[in-house]
Amino acid sequence: MLPSLFRKWRESRNASLQLDAILTAAEPEAPLAERNSWLIELGYWIRRDGAPGGDDARADKGPRDGSEGEGGVERSLPQHVRLRYLLRVLERNPDWALAFSRTVRSILRDNDPTALFCDTGVASHPGFWGEMMDRLQARFLPPPPNRSDMSSLFALLFVHLDDAEWVESIEAGLVERLTLVLGLADAEEEGEEEAAARRGLERTLAASIQVLVSQVRATGLSQAIRSRLKGRVEETPFFRLDSAAQALFEEDLAHGDEAFGQRINYFRALLDHCHAAAQHVYDELEENGVSVEVVFQIERMKIRLARIELLLGAWSEPGRPGARQHLTAELIRSTQARRSVGHLVSSSFAQLARKVVERSAETGEHYITRDRGEYREMMRGAAGGGLLTVLTVYLKFLIYGLHLDKFIEGLLASLNYAGSFLLIHFAHFTLATKQPAMTGPALAHRLDGARRPEGREIFVDDTIAMIRSNAAAIFGNLAAVFPVALAVQWLSGKLLGVSLLTPAKAIATIESFSILGPTPLYAIFTGVLLWLSSLIAGWADNWFALHRVHDVMAYNRRLRYVLGAKGALGVADFWRRNLSGIAANVSLGLLLGLGPEILSFVGPHMEVRHVTLSTGAVGASIGVLGLDALRMPALWLAVAGIALMGFLNVAVSFALAFNMALRSRNLRSVDRRELSAAVRRRILERPLSLIVPPRRPAAAPDAGGSRA
């Protein structure tokens, strides 16, 4: 029994009654819930797979119309074929047609369309998180059919993604036939009904536009938007929008009057100014930091402005060909978007993602070396970073040698990592694996101009420079950390007779880096943590700019009293220069130290595998074991593991950052295969360019971003 019920439940997703049963059930005097359910069932029949026939043929009591031959059916969408079949059946069965038309008209009369026109597709909550919860509920809890609300009926009637397309593509002849079928009652009575329905629709459209105008005006005059616009409040287009709408919808104003033309042109000009003001707010956010809530408000206002223009066209030009289909299709699209959580997230977070990426791109520019002078500086910085990492390696051995509680160990390891990374940052040294998460956005920034030959050349140049820079940084780190870590342990043993770690610990350390163990998985996990730290850095920089913290600190009364105006400005400048770096290094330290412990507590066991730290640990272990370590197979498995570890650290963090940059800039239309081919050709033509930089940077026009 249960399998049968489950099979029926699955079939009910797209199943429908036969057409004769649906037409027989048409009852204009039935309760609204039954009439709405009847229309929903008809919609499922129109979308039903396969051409009408079989049991449906019982509804067609006359011969087929020769104008709808086999070729015509093949050229039509399946929904159009079924709609023609329905109309043919109704045209040949007057009793069914009369009940059908009266039932449809009663449904249109008794369902209020105001919410459909004003609220469908528009966020109903003032904030992002409330709207997300509402959409999740709408996705899994559809409205009941007994509400006298056209928006609820649309949500139940149009459930397939292609519904808007087939509705909008209905040809004019089919629309005319449908109109005639819906007017099969007495001609004089029908004329009065049509006139009353037309006047009612015009009033509803006008009222809906005025409701939307009041909502746009409220948003545009809110503090979050108003504070980002220039001029006085009464000079903004939002302030004048309401009075312009009232003048346009005066009852004694006919559509053919000259005054009507002037007023509607003025109203449309104000709408254009509102769009321009919204774009100005976006530009201000691009420059001074992005707020998800402000972006959410702007996106909601833009949707309402577009809806006003859509309804205004239907109200001012009701007889325009295709107007009804276009309006219905747009309302269907809005209804389906209203259920989409992904659409809400993408529209609200795209600007924030772009801003975070832009901040990372600015930092990443400094990690790309384009000539031999910059290359030498990179090598020196990487060697310095490797030298300081030696201290981190031995402090890590000390912390884990205490055998403390796991959380305390993770916290102390986090402080060790964060302190080391901050020391490297302020010494202007380089930690190699931090680069890819920053250089990825910088490289994606070049794709803005990659459709032009000169832009493509710049992209290829920067790709080669990025690969060369990352390789130089890794080599510089490892060239310093390995011999110095080994030398520290060797000198400690020879001069002081003290071993900084036991032979058993040294062997276990080497074995833990084997390529045959979980090292590749741990290296991928570490690459994800490196990418997350770059996101945190970009977010912190965006927050600093959005809330104008620099100005807050520079003009803080107590800071100026203690340090003076120049001193307060210096503190503010320091944080503006270094906040991103501090956030990146502190967050990376916390992620590397506490991240594995927290994840292991709630999920699978994970460890950190960082190529520079692991190489230093192997160097220290060889210092304990001496030359005998070279005869250990585990050592060479560890060497292979560290080589793969370095590749995965870099590749994973770079791939995640580059992919996010592509999505934030909406650059997926760029021909990636052509760009990849161009990079491969450059490598084959000049393989040494991956190692040896040019003598001076190549001069090239800007292709989507500065080379700061």
Short mmCIF file of all heavy atoms in Angstrom, two decimals, residues 545-576:
data_model
loop_
_atom_site.label_atom_id
_atom_site.label_comp_id
_atom_site.label_asym_id
_atom_site.label_seq_id
_atom_site.Cartn_x
_atom_site.Cartn_y
_atom_site.Cartn_z
N ALA A 545 35.75 51.28 5.59
CA ALA A 545 35.40 52.36 4.67
C ALA A 545 33.92 52.72 4.77
O ALA A 545 33.56 53.91 4.73
CB ALA A 545 35.74 51.95 3.24
N LEU A 546 33.04 51.71 4.90
CA LEU A 546 31.60 51.96 4.93
C LEU A 546 31.21 52.85 6.09
O LEU A 546 30.41 53.78 5.94
CB LEU A 546 30.86 50.62 5.01
CG LEU A 546 29.34 50.70 5.18
CD1 LEU A 546 28.70 51.30 3.94
CD2 LEU A 546 28.76 49.31 5.46
N HIS A 547 31.77 52.59 7.26
CA HIS A 547 31.41 53.36 8.45
C HIS A 547 32.33 54.56 8.69
O HIS A 547 32.24 55.19 9.75
CB HIS A 547 31.42 52.43 9.67
CG HIS A 547 30.39 51.34 9.60
ND1 HIS A 547 29.06 51.55 9.86
CD2 HIS A 547 30.50 50.03 9.25
CE1 HIS A 547 28.39 50.41 9.71
NE2 HIS A 547 29.25 49.48 9.34
N ARG A 548 33.19 54.83 7.72
CA ARG A 548 34.06 56.01 7.75
C ARG A 548 34.83 56.08 9.09
O ARG A 548 34.92 57.11 9.74
CB ARG A 548 33.25 57.28 7.53
CG ARG A 548 32.43 57.24 6.25
CD ARG A 548 31.70 58.52 5.97
NE ARG A 548 32.60 59.61 5.67
CZ ARG A 548 32.19 60.81 5.29
NH1 ARG A 548 30.90 61.07 5.16
NH2 ARG A 548 33.07 61.76 5.04
N VAL A 549 35.39 54.93 9.46
CA VAL A 549 36.09 54.84 10.73
C VAL A 549 37.33 55.73 10.73
O VAL A 549 37.72 56.26 11.77
CB VAL A 549 36.46 53.36 11.03
CG1 VAL A 549 37.20 53.25 12.34
CG2 VAL A 549 35.21 52.50 11.05
N HIS A 550 37.94 55.93 9.56
CA HIS A 550 39.10 56.81 9.47
C HIS A 550 38.74 58.21 9.95
O HIS A 550 39.46 58.82 10.76
CB HIS A 550 39.63 56.85 8.04
CG HIS A 550 40.77 57.79 7.84
ND1 HIS A 550 40.58 59.13 7.52
CD2 HIS A 550 42.12 57.62 7.92
CE1 HIS A 550 41.73 59.73 7.40
NE2 HIS A 550 42.69 58.84 7.64
N ASP A 551 37.62 58.74 9.45
CA ASP A 551 37.20 60.08 9.85
C ASP A 551 36.79 60.11 11.31
O ASP A 551 37.04 61.10 12.02
CB ASP A 551 36.05 60.56 8.98
CG ASP A 551 36.47 60.75 7.53
OD1 ASP A 551 37.69 60.83 7.28
OD2 ASP A 551 35.59 60.81 6.65
N VAL A 552 36.15 59.03 11.78
CA VAL A 552 35.75 58.97 13.19
C VAL A 552 36.97 59.07 14.09
O VAL A 552 36.97 59.81 15.09
CB VAL A 552 34.97 57.67 13.46
CG1 VAL A 552 34.73 57.49 14.96
CG2 VAL A 552 33.64 57.68 12.72
N MET A 553 38.03 58.35 13.74
CA MET A 553 39.24 58.37 14.56
C MET A 553 39.99 59.69 14.41
O MET A 553 40.50 60.25 15.39
CB MET A 553 40.15 57.20 14.17
CG MET A 553 39.53 55.83 14.39
SD MET A 553 40.57 54.48 13.81
CE MET A 553 41.87 54.53 15.03
N ALA A 554 40.06 60.20 13.19
CA ALA A 554 40.81 61.44 12.96
C ALA A 554 40.20 62.63 13.69
O ALA A 554 40.93 63.55 14.11
CB ALA A 554 40.89 61.73 11.46
N TYR A 555 38.88 62.63 13.88
CA TYR A 555 38.21 63.76 14.53
C TYR A 555 37.71 63.42 15.93
O TYR A 555 36.93 64.19 16.50
CB TYR A 555 37.03 64.24 13.67
CG TYR A 555 37.48 64.86 12.38
CD1 TYR A 555 37.48 64.12 11.20
CD2 TYR A 555 37.94 66.17 12.32
CE1 TYR A 555 37.90 64.67 10.01
CE2 TYR A 555 38.36 66.73 11.14
CZ TYR A 555 38.34 65.98 9.98
OH TYR A 555 38.77 66.54 8.80
N ASN A 556 38.14 62.27 16.46
CA ASN A 556 37.73 61.91 17.81
C ASN A 556 38.28 62.92 18.82
O ASN A 556 39.49 63.19 18.85
CB ASN A 556 38.22 60.50 18.14
CG ASN A 556 37.76 60.03 19.50
OD1 ASN A 556 38.43 60.26 20.50
ND2 ASN A 556 36.61 59.37 19.53
N ARG A 557 37.41 63.45 19.66
CA ARG A 557 37.80 64.52 20.57
C ARG A 557 38.87 64.07 21.55
O ARG A 557 39.87 64.77 21.79
CB ARG A 557 36.55 64.99 21.33
CG ARG A 557 36.85 66.03 22.41
CD ARG A 557 35.57 66.43 23.14
NE ARG A 557 35.88 67.27 24.29
CZ ARG A 557 36.19 66.80 25.49
NH1 ARG A 557 36.22 65.48 25.69
NH2 ARG A 557 36.47 67.61 26.50
N ARG A 558 38.72 62.88 22.12
CA ARG A 558 39.67 62.42 23.13
C ARG A 558 41.02 62.07 22.51
O ARG A 558 42.07 62.32 23.11
CB ARG A 558 39.08 61.24 23.88
CG ARG A 558 37.78 61.61 24.62
CD ARG A 558 37.19 60.45 25.38
NE ARG A 558 38.03 60.07 26.52
CZ ARG A 558 37.72 59.09 27.37
NH1 ARG A 558 36.60 58.40 27.18
NH2 ARG A 558 38.52 58.80 28.38
N LEU A 559 40.99 61.46 21.31
CA LEU A 559 42.26 61.18 20.63
C LEU A 559 43.00 62.47 20.30
O LEU A 559 44.23 62.55 20.47
CB LEU A 559 42.00 60.38 19.35
CG LEU A 559 41.95 58.86 19.44
CD1 LEU A 559 41.69 58.25 18.08
CD2 LEU A 559 43.24 58.30 20.03
N ARG A 560 42.27 63.45 19.82
CA ARG A 560 42.91 64.73 19.50
C ARG A 560 43.43 65.42 20.75
O ARG A 560 44.44 66.12 20.71
CB ARG A 560 41.91 65.63 18.75
CG ARG A 560 41.59 65.13 17.34
CD ARG A 560 40.37 65.83 16.76
NE ARG A 560 40.66 67.20 16.39
CZ ARG A 560 41.00 67.61 15.17
NH1 ARG A 560 41.11 66.70 14.19
NH2 ARG A 560 41.24 68.86 14.90
N TYR A 561 42.74 65.23 21.88
CA TYR A 561 43.19 65.83 23.13
C TYR A 561 44.49 65.18 23.60
O TYR A 561 45.41 65.86 24.09
CB TYR A 561 42.11 65.67 24.21
CG TYR A 561 42.45 66.31 25.53
CD1 TYR A 561 42.27 67.67 25.74
CD2 TYR A 561 42.97 65.54 26.57
CE1 TYR A 561 42.59 68.25 26.95
CE2 TYR A 561 43.30 66.10 27.79
CZ TYR A 561 43.11 67.47 27.98
OH TYR A 561 43.45 68.04 29.18
N VAL A 562 44.58 63.85 23.44
CA VAL A 562 45.77 63.12 23.93
C VAL A 562 46.93 63.24 22.95
O VAL A 562 48.07 63.49 23.34
CB VAL A 562 45.41 61.64 24.17
CG1 VAL A 562 46.66 60.83 24.52
CG2 VAL A 562 44.36 61.52 25.26
N LEU A 563 46.65 63.04 21.65
CA LEU A 563 47.72 62.96 20.66
C LEU A 563 47.86 64.20 19.81
O LEU A 563 48.83 64.32 19.06
CB LEU A 563 47.47 61.75 19.73
CG LEU A 563 47.35 60.38 20.42
CD1 LEU A 563 46.99 59.32 19.38
CD2 LEU A 563 48.64 60.02 21.13
N GLY A 564 46.89 65.11 19.90
CA GLY A 564 46.88 66.25 19.00
C GLY A 564 46.24 65.89 17.68
O GLY A 564 46.05 64.70 17.35
N ALA A 565 45.91 66.90 16.90
CA ALA A 565 45.23 66.67 15.62
C ALA A 565 46.09 65.83 14.69
O ALA A 565 45.61 64.91 14.02
CB ALA A 565 44.87 68.01 14.98
N LYS A 566 47.40 66.13 14.64
CA LYS A 566 48.29 65.38 13.75
C LYS A 566 48.45 63.93 14.21
O LYS A 566 48.48 63.01 13.39
CB LYS A 566 49.64 66.07 13.68
CG LYS A 566 50.57 65.51 12.63
CD LYS A 566 51.84 66.32 12.52
CE LYS A 566 52.77 65.77 11.44
NZ LYS A 566 54.02 66.57 11.33
N GLY A 567 48.53 63.73 15.52
CA GLY A 567 48.67 62.38 16.04
C GLY A 567 47.43 61.54 15.81
O GLY A 567 47.51 60.36 15.45
N ALA A 568 46.24 62.14 16.00
CA ALA A 568 44.99 61.41 15.74
C ALA A 568 44.88 61.04 14.27
O ALA A 568 44.46 59.93 13.92
CB ALA A 568 43.80 62.25 16.17
N LEU A 569 45.28 61.95 13.38
CA LEU A 569 45.27 61.65 11.96
C LEU A 569 46.24 60.53 11.63
O LEU A 569 45.96 59.66 10.79
CB LEU A 569 45.61 62.91 11.16
CG LEU A 569 45.62 62.76 9.63
CD1 LEU A 569 44.24 62.34 9.13
CD2 LEU A 569 46.06 64.06 8.98
N GLY A 570 47.39 60.53 12.30
CA GLY A 570 48.37 59.46 12.07
C GLY A 570 47.84 58.10 12.49
O GLY A 570 48.06 57.10 11.79
N VAL A 571 47.14 58.06 13.64
CA VAL A 571 46.54 56.79 14.07
C VAL A 571 45.50 56.32 13.06
O VAL A 571 45.45 55.13 12.71
CB VAL A 571 45.91 56.96 15.47
CG1 VAL A 571 45.09 55.72 15.84
CG2 VAL A 571 46.99 57.20 16.51
N ALA A 572 44.66 57.24 12.59
CA ALA A 572 43.64 56.88 11.61
C ALA A 572 44.29 56.37 10.32
O ALA A 572 43.83 55.39 9.72
CB ALA A 572 42.74 58.08 11.33
N ASP A 573 45.35 57.05 9.87
CA ASP A 573 46.05 56.62 8.65
C ASP A 573 46.67 55.25 8.83
O ASP A 573 46.67 54.42 7.90
CB ASP A 573 47.12 57.63 8.27
CG ASP A 573 46.54 58.93 7.74
OD1 ASP A 573 45.35 58.93 7.35
OD2 ASP A 573 47.26 59.95 7.74
N PHE A 574 47.21 54.98 10.03
CA PHE A 574 47.82 53.68 10.29
C PHE A 574 46.79 52.56 10.12
O PHE A 574 47.06 51.54 9.46
CB PHE A 574 48.40 53.65 11.71
CG PHE A 574 48.81 52.28 12.17
CD1 PHE A 574 50.04 51.76 11.83
CD2 PHE A 574 47.93 51.50 12.94
CE1 PHE A 574 50.41 50.48 12.24
CE2 PHE A 574 48.30 50.22 13.35
CZ PHE A 574 49.54 49.72 13.00
N TRP A 575 45.61 52.75 10.70
CA TRP A 575 44.61 51.71 10.62
C TRP A 575 44.06 51.57 9.20
O TRP A 575 43.72 50.46 8.77
CB TRP A 575 43.48 51.98 11.60
CG TRP A 575 43.86 51.59 13.00
CD1 TRP A 575 44.20 52.41 14.02
CD2 TRP A 575 43.97 50.25 13.49
NE1 TRP A 575 44.53 51.68 15.14
CE2 TRP A 575 44.39 50.35 14.85
CE3 TRP A 575 43.77 48.99 12.95
CZ2 TRP A 575 44.59 49.23 15.64
CZ3 TRP A 575 43.97 47.87 13.73
CH2 TRP A 575 44.38 47.99 15.07
N ARG A 576 43.97 52.68 8.48
CA ARG A 576 43.51 52.56 7.10
C ARG A 576 44.51 51.77 6.26
O ARG A 576 44.11 50.98 5.39
CB ARG A 576 43.30 53.94 6.49
CG ARG A 576 42.80 53.89 5.05
CD ARG A 576 42.23 55.20 4.58
NE ARG A 576 43.22 56.27 4.62
CZ ARG A 576 42.94 57.54 4.31
NH1 ARG A 576 41.71 57.89 3.98
NH2 ARG A 576 43.90 58.46 4.37
#
